[in-house]
Amino acid sequence: MKTDTEASSPTDWDRPTIFYNEYVKWTVYLLIVLFAAWSYWEIRITPGRLLVGLEQSSQLMANAWPPDFTPERREMIWRDILETLAMAVIATIGGIILSVPVAILGSRNLVSERVFWIGRTIIATSRAFHALIIAIIVVKAVGFGPLAGIITLMIKTVGFFGKLLAEEIEDIDPTQLEAIEATGAGRFQTYFYAVVPQITQRFVALSIYRWDINLRSSAIVGIVGAGGIGQTLVASFDRFEYDFSAAIILVIIALVLLGEAVSAVARKRISTGAAGVETTPTRDAGRRTWNRFTRGQQLLRYGSVALVAGVIVISWRHLEMGIGVVRTAPAELYDLWTRMWPPSTGIVAEMVDPLLTSLHIAILGTVLAIALSIPTALIAADTTTPNRVTYTLGKLIVTTTRSVNVIIWVLVLVLLLGPGALAGVVAIGIRSVGFIGKLLAEAIEEIDMTQVEAMTATGASRLETAVYAIVPQVKPAFIGIATYRWDSNVRASTVIGFVGGGGIGSLLMSQINQFQWANAMTILIAILGIVLFSEVVSAYARKKVM
Amino acid sequence: MLETKNLEKVYQTGDRALDDVSVTLDGTEVVAMIGPSGAGKSTFIRCINRLVEPTSGDVWLDDVELTALSKPELQRERRNIGMVFQEYGLVERLTVMENVLSGRLGYVGFWQSLRRKFPPDAIEHAYETLERVGLRGYENKRVDALSGGQRQRVGIARAVLQRPKLLLVDEPTSSLDPETSHAVMELLAEIAVDTDVPVVINIHEVHLAEEFADRILGLSDGSLVFDGPPAELDEAAKTRVYQGATDSVEASRSTGESADDQLSQDELLTKNG
Ligand SMILES: Nc1ncnc2c1ncn2[C@@H]1O[C@H](COP(=O)(O)OP(=O)(O)OP(=O)(O)O)[C@@H](O)[C@H]1O
Ligand SMILES: [Mg+2]
C-alpha cells in the first residue's frame, strides 16, 4: 500500500488508502451511493407497496396452507422428482466428461497461448449466462422436455467445472511434469502420470459439488419447459393451486437439503480418506510381481465404474430418451445458430431501458441482501449470537432462504407485490441473505479471538473493539462474499423477467417466443457484456482488499 | 559420450545464462559442475535434454545431435538420458514403485501405462534398483510419506530404470542435511561405476565435488572458467569460479550478481570450515 500524503508534520497521520488518493476514494463511494439512489428512484419502492405485500401474504398463506399432499399429487411430485434427479445425474456426468478437454484447453501450462484463449472463451461464455437463458434457447432448439434441461445443465457444468479444473491444473507442480517428460514419456502418458495424480482428489470433490448445484438447477429449468419439477410448479401457479405449489416448494427444499447433505458428507470422506497413505500389500514379493492394486481393490474399482454406468443407464431409461436425440441435437443447435447470426441492431433502442432495470434490480437486491445479512450473520455465528434461540433463528433464516432458488422466490413475490422490478429486488435480496449470511457467519466464527481480547485489554469499548478487532478480520472475506454474490445477482437479474420479476428477461423471452432470433442474439450479447464487465469490476475489488 | 559445442542460452528476459560452453565427457566419469547461484548450472543441464531450448550451439550424445532432433525424435532420445531433480521431481501422490517405473514410460504403450502394467523385467529391475538405493520394502508407500533423502533415492532409482547413456543430476543435495548429502553423492558415484555411464552433477558444496568427482567444471556467469581434476582446484581457481569479476577478464557484471556470488562464497566458506 502506498500513499501520496507525505508526513510533513509528525503529529499528522492519515490512514493509507487503497485508492490512489482520498479524492478518488470518496468519488468512488459517492458514485456507488448515487447509483444506488438512482436505482431506488427507478424501482419506486414505497412503504405502501411493501405493506400491501404483507397483507397479501396472509391471504396467500391461507390459500397455500395446508400443502396439498393428496395421493395423486404425491404421485405427480414423485414422478417429477425422479425426473429431476435423473436429469441432474446425466447432466453432471456428461458435463464433466465434456469439461475435461475444455479445462485442458484452458490451462496455460499445458497448451499454447492461442489455444488457451479459445478454452477460456468457451468457459467464460458458458459461465456468463444464467441457466434459464440457456434453457429457453435450448428448448426452442430441441423441444420441451428433460433433454433440453440436460443440455442446459451440461453447458453450465462445462463452464463451472472447466474453470475450476483449469485453475487446479495450472496450480500443479511443474517439476513433476518436467520430470516425467524428461524420461521420454509421451504427451498423454505425461498427463496421466504427472497431472492426473495431482488433481484427482479435487476433481472428485468438484464433481460431487457440481452434482449438488445441478440438482438445484434441474429443479427450476422446468420453468421454461426444460423438464423436471419446475414445470409442474409453474403450472400450479398458473392454475392458482397454491396449496399444491406449497407442497412442491417444500419438496424442492427437502431435495436440495438432502443433496447438500449427501454432497457434504461425500466430500468430507474424500478429503479425510486421502490423508492416509495408500498401501497395497504385494502378494508375493519373492516372485517379484507388482500390481498397483490388489484383487479386492481392483474389483472395487471396476464395481464403482459399473455402479456409475448403471446409474446413468437407469436415469437415461427413466427419461425415455432415445439415443437418436444425441445425434440430432448438435445439428439443431447449429441450425439455431445460423438463424441468430448476424445479430440485428433494430432492438437496441428498445432494450436499453430493461437492461438498466436489470442492473438496478441487481444493485438494490445486493444492497438489500447486505443490509439484511449482517444482522443475520451476527446471530447465526456461534461466537457472536446472544443465545440459543437467536442462533437457531439465524440458522433457520440462512437455510430456508438459501435452499429456495431465486426464481421460485420471484414466483411467490410476484403474487404478493405484483409483477415488476420490486418483486425481483426483494427476491434477489432474500435469496442472497442466506448465501451471504452463511459465509459471513463462518468468517466471523473463524476470527482470531486473541486480537479481540487484546483490544478489550487496552480498555476499548465494545463498539471500538468491534471496529478495530473484528471488522478488519472479517472485511476481506466480506468483500469477497458480497462481490461474488453481486456477480450471481447480475446473472439472476437477467432472467427474473421470465416469471414477471422485471428487467431484460421479459423482452428476451418475447423475442424468442416470436422467433426473432437475431434480436435475441443482440440482447444476449448485451447481457454477456454486462456480466463480464461486472465480473471484471468485482474481481478488481477483491484483488484490492485481499 | 556427451559433447557440447559453443552452447549458448539467452532467456527471453535477456539473461545470458550460458555463454559459449564447450565440453566433452567420456566413459564413466563423474563430472561435478560448480558455480555460484545463477551461474547457469541448471540451464546447462536442461539444455542437454532440451527441457530448456538452447539459443545456439550443438549437443551431441554419442552420434546423435540432440539439438537437431524433432519433437518426437527428442522424446525417444530422452529415454537415454536420466535426470535427477533438485526438488526430487517425483509425482507426490503416486507410490514409490509407480514413480520408479515411470522411468520406463518411454518403452510401454499408453494403455499399458494407464493400467500400470509394466513388463516383468522392468519390475525385476525396479526391485533390484530399490534394493540398490536402500529402499527395499518401500515400493507401496506413497512418495509424500517419505523423507527428503528417501525421495532423492527414489528419484535416482527412476533415472537408473531408464538404463540411460547419460545421467544428469541437478543439485541432488541442496535440500538434504550434510550426512544424507554425503550418502546420496556416494550412491551416485557408485552408480556411475556400476552402470558405466557418465554422470554430470550440479553441486553447491565444493568439498563434496572434490571428494566424489573425477573432474570438475567451474561455471561463472555462464562461462566455463575451470575444467580439471579436483587436485587442480586450488584457491586461485575457486576464486576465479566464485568471484569471477574481481580478477578475470569478464568485467561486465551487474552489481546484483556480484552480491549474489559473494553470498555463495560465504556459504561455501562456512560449509567448508
Ligand atoms: N526460466 C527462466 N527465465 C528467465 N531467466 C532464467 C530462467 N531460468 C534461469 N534464468 C536465469 O538464468 C541464469 C542462470 O540460471 P540457472 O538456474 O541456470 O543458475 P544455477 O547456476 O542453476 O543457479 P542455482 O545454483 O541457484 O540453482 C540466472 O541469471 C537466472 O536468473
Ligand atoms: Mg540450479
Side-chain angles (χ1 to χ4, degrees):
Chain A
M1 277 192 245
K2 56 177 186 226
T3 166
D4 292 347
T5 40
E6 281 291 286
S8 51
S9 145
T11 54
D12 180 29
W13 181 80
D14 276 325
R15 190 165 178 269
T17 163
I18 53 173
F19 297 96
Y20 291 107
N21 59 43
E22 294 286 315
Y23 298 111
V24 175
K25 175 174 146 182
W26 289 112
T27 313
V28 169
Y29 288 165
L30 188 70
L31 278 177
I32 293 175
V33 170
L34 281 180
F35 214 94
W38 180 29
S39 303
Y40 185 81
W41 172 250
E42 281 290 319
I43 308 289
R44 292 192 187 79
I45 302 177
T46 59
R49 289 185 66 186
L50 290 173
L51 270 179
V52 172
L54 272 181
E55 273 171 37
Q56 292 283 325
S57 75
S58 60
Q59 180 66 37
L60 183 65
M61 276 294 201
N63 285 338
W65 206 262
D68 183 358
F69 278 119
T70 49
E72 85 253 33
R73 296 297 202 198
R74 274 216 301 269
E75 199 176 312
M76 264 172 104
I77 292 180
W78 177 242
R79 198 197 57 214
D80 284 347
I81 287 291
L82 285 184
E83 181 169 291
T84 308
L85 271 170
M87 281 165 58
V89 167
I90 295 184
T92 306
I93 294 169
I96 287 171
I97 292 172
L98 281 182
S99 62
V100 169
V102 175
I104 291 177
L105 295 188
S107 303
R108 213 184 274 268
N109 53 346
L110 294 185
V111 296
S112 68
E113 188 78 358
R114 186 174 315 153
V115 176
F116 166 79
W117 284 111
I118 295 175
R120 284 296 161 123
T121 306
I122 297 176
I123 290 171
T125 315
S126 116
R127 278 168 46 78
F129 294 109
H130 193 280
L132 285 185
I133 291 189
I134 299 177
I136 205 172
I137 295 169
V138 175
V139 163
K140 283 284 164 332
V142 304
F144 287 99
L147 175 68
I150 289 174
I151 295 177
T152 302
L153 298 182
M154 271 169 55
I155 294 174
K156 287 303 286 179
T157 305
V158 166
F160 170 93
F161 210 81
K163 173 167 187 278
L164 294 179
L165 195 59
E167 281 168 2
E168 191 65 17
I169 294 175
E170 286 183 344
D171 270 352
I172 63 172
D173 171 10
T175 51
Q176 301 186 20
L177 209 69
E178 273 187 334
I180 297 293
E181 238 169 54
T183 67
R187 190 186 183 87
F188 289 101
Q189 285 178 324
T190 310
Y191 286 172
F192 272 90
Y193 267 73
V195 181
V196 170
Q198 294 193 59
I199 61 171
T200 314
Q201 192 182 337
R202 178 111 169 112
F203 184 91
V204 177
L206 282 179
S207 309
I208 299 167
Y209 185 42
R210 185 63 218 186
W211 172 76
D212 183 11
I213 298 175
N214 279 346
L215 187 58
R216 290 155 184 263
S217 305
S218 67
I220 57 142
V221 286
I223 285 169
V224 292
I229 198 164
Q231 229 154 329
T232 317
L233 179 65
V234 163
S236 76
F237 271 98
D238 287 345
R239 275 185 256 127
F240 310 110
E241 297 166 347
Y242 300 128
D243 49 351
F244 188 33
S245 312
I248 296 174
I249 291 176
L250 285 179
V251 169
I252 290 180
I253 293 179
L255 188 68
V256 164
L257 290 181
L258 194 72
E260 192 167 273
V262 169
S263 127
V265 169
R267 276 181 286 155
K268 200 156 171 187
R269 288 202 56 158
I270 286 160
S271 61
T272 51
V277 177
E278 293 171 32
T279 49
T280 48
T282 328
R283 273 171 301 153
D284 185 2
R287 258 178 52 232
R288 306 264 192 163
T289 55
W290 175 84
N291 290 301
R292 175 62 183 80
F293 300 103
T294 61
R295 252 267 166 310
Q297 286 172 320
Q298 199 67 269
L299 282 177
L300 201 68
R301 286 165 69 88
Y302 289 140
S304 27
V305 171
L307 186 74
V308 172
V311 171
I312 298 177
V313 170
I314 291 172
S315 304
W316 189 267
R317 313 255 333 233
H318 179 83
L319 297 176
E320 291 167 352
M321 295 189 304
I323 201 80
V325 295
V326 177
R327 262 184 285 118
T328 52
E332 281 171 272
L333 285 174
Y334 178 75
D335 182 46
L336 189 60
W337 172 256
T338 57
R339 272 179 282 159
M340 286 176 124
W341 200 261
S344 104
T345 51
I347 192 83
V348 171
E350 205 181 326
M351 78 185 187
V352 171
D353 211 39
L355 271 176
L356 277 177
T357 309
S358 276
L359 259 186
H360 289 314
I361 293 172
I363 290 171
L364 283 186
T366 309
V367 170
L368 179 67
I370 290 174
L372 293 176
S373 62
I374 291 175
T376 309
L378 286 173
I379 62 168
D382 57 12
T383 43
T384 49
T385 193
N387 55 51
R388 294 310 306 172
V389 178
T390 53
Y391 181 69
T392 316
L393 179 69
K395 287 280 174 212
L396 195 70
I397 295 176
V398 163
T399 313
T400 47
T401 53
R402 267 182 77 228
S403 26
V404 177
N405 191 285
V406 69
I407 288 297
I408 299 179
W409 279 116
V410 176
L411 280 172
V412 173
L413 285 159
V414 164
L415 292 181
L416 301 182
L417 303 168
L422 182 59
V425 169
V426 179
I428 284 184
I430 293 180
R431 166 65 179 86
S432 310
V433 165
F435 179 90
I436 302 180
K438 174 171 189 273
L439 296 177
L440 192 58
E442 283 168 6
I444 294 174
E445 283 171 1
E446 273 167 20
I447 62 171
D448 176 7
M449 286 313 278
T450 53
Q451 296 182 28
V452 178
E453 279 170 4
M455 206 50 70
T456 320
T458 65
S461 73
R462 261 186 91 100
L463 198 64
E464 285 168 333
T465 308
V467 170
Y468 271 79
I470 298 182
V471 171
Q473 290 194 62
V474 174
K475 192 170 149 193
F478 177 70
I479 302 283
I481 298 162
T483 50
Y484 273 120
R485 196 60 221 174
W486 157 249
D487 284 342
S488 33
N489 286 349
V490 171
R491 289 180 174 82
S493 74
T494 62
V495 297
I496 52 182
F498 291 177
V499 287
I504 189 72
S506 48
L507 182 64
L508 178 63
M509 188 140 102
S510 71
Q511 295 304 311
I512 289 176
N513 284 339
Q514 297 160 28
F515 300 100
Q516 298 294 330
W517 288 108
N519 284 347
M521 192 68 195
T522 313
I523 298 175
L524 290 178
I525 292 172
I527 290 177
L528 183 68
I530 288 178
V531 168
L532 292 184
F533 175 74
S534 88
E535 204 156 81
V536 168
V537 171
S538 67
Y540 181 76
R542 275 194 291 276
K543 215 162 101 191
K544 275 283 182 187
V545 293
M546 288 305 163
Chain B
M1 191 185 79
L2 174 77
E3 195 177 0
T4 71
K5 291 181 195 157
N6 311 104
L7 202 56
E8 185 189 48
K9 174 67 193 177
V10 182
Y11 282 105
Q12 282 186 333
T13 51
D15 285 283
R16 182 174 293 272
L18 284 182
D19 197 358
D20 198 18
V21 177
S22 304
V23 288
T24 307
L25 313 181
D26 242 327
T28 61
E29 276 185 310
V30 174
V31 179
M33 181 169 259
I34 60 170
S37 248
K41 304 185 296 295
S42 301
T43 306
F44 176 74
I45 276 196
R46 285 164 174 265
C47 279
I48 293 173
N49 62 3
R50 284 174 56 193
L51 284 179
V52 166
E53 285 294 338
T55 311
S56 67
D58 313 337
V59 180
W60 289 79
L61 182 63
D62 295 337
D63 41 15
V64 180
E65 187 185 354
L66 295 179
T67 35
L69 298 179
S70 69
K71 266 252 142 129
E73 286 167 342
L74 172 67
Q75 188 189 314
R76 225 168 305 129
E77 199 55 31
R78 275 180 177 163
R79 302 184 302 190
N80 298 325
I81 307 173
M83 180 157 175
V84 177
F85 289 74
Q86 179 168 2
E87 300 289 345
Y88 322 121
L90 301 172
V91 183
E92 302 269 318
R93 296 176 52 86
L94 295 183
T95 59
V96 168
M97 192 54 130
E98 284 167 293
N99 269 286
V100 173
L101 285 172
S102 66
R104 300 307 292 174
L105 282 178
Y107 295 92
V108 300
F110 171 70
W111 184 238
Q112 274 174 302
S113 72
L114 197 61
R115 289 166 48 234
R116 310 296 198 247
K117 290 289 174 217
F118 289 85
D121 58 329
I123 292 175
E124 184 72 31
H125 189 203
Y127 273 112
E128 279 166 19
T129 311
L130 279 175
E131 272 157 37
R132 179 74 196 76
V133 301
L135 288 177
R136 168 187 230 139
Y138 280 80
E139 56 270 11
N140 290 322
K141 269 216 182 347
R142 238 169 69 171
V143 164
D144 50 12
L146 300 186
S147 73
Q150 289 168 336
R151 288 184 200 200
Q152 199 53 287
R153 288 160 195 271
V154 176
I156 293 170
R158 172 174 64 195
V160 168
L161 230 71
Q162 288 177 240
R163 297 189 191 278
K165 294 186 202 159
L166 169 71
L167 199 54
L168 303 173
V169 186
D170 194 4
E171 297 194 29
T173 59
S174 67
S175 353
L176 306 178
D177 64 68
E179 231 159 277
T180 319
S181 299
H182 199 267
V184 163
M185 287 298 286
E186 209 160 26
L187 180 66
L188 284 167
E190 286 168 15
I191 281 174
V193 176
D194 289 358
T195 56
D196 214 18
V197 295
V199 181
V200 184
I201 307 179
N202 282 345
I203 189 149
H204 263 298
E205 294 104 318
V206 175
H207 67 279
L208 285 177
E210 288 174 323
E211 184 178 349
F212 291 103
D214 306 312
R215 177 176 164 196
I216 292 180
L217 302 176
L219 208 57
S220 173
D221 200 20
S223 303
L224 206 57
V225 296
F226 177 85
D227 182 356
E232 281 175 23
L233 189 71
D234 52 17
E235 283 310 312
K238 284 182 196 169
T239 315
R240 207 158 66 233
V241 174
Y242 283 93
Q243 287 184 331
T246 49
D247 58 2
S248 91
V249 279
E250 319 153 64
S252 57
R253 313 187 61 186
S254 79
T255 48
E257 278 168 336
S258 310
D260 248 352
D261 300 349
Q262 188 59 50
L263 198 72
S264 340
Q265 176 74 2
D266 290 344
E267 275 170 21
L268 185 82
L269 291 177
T270 47
K271 271 175 189 152
N272 279 340

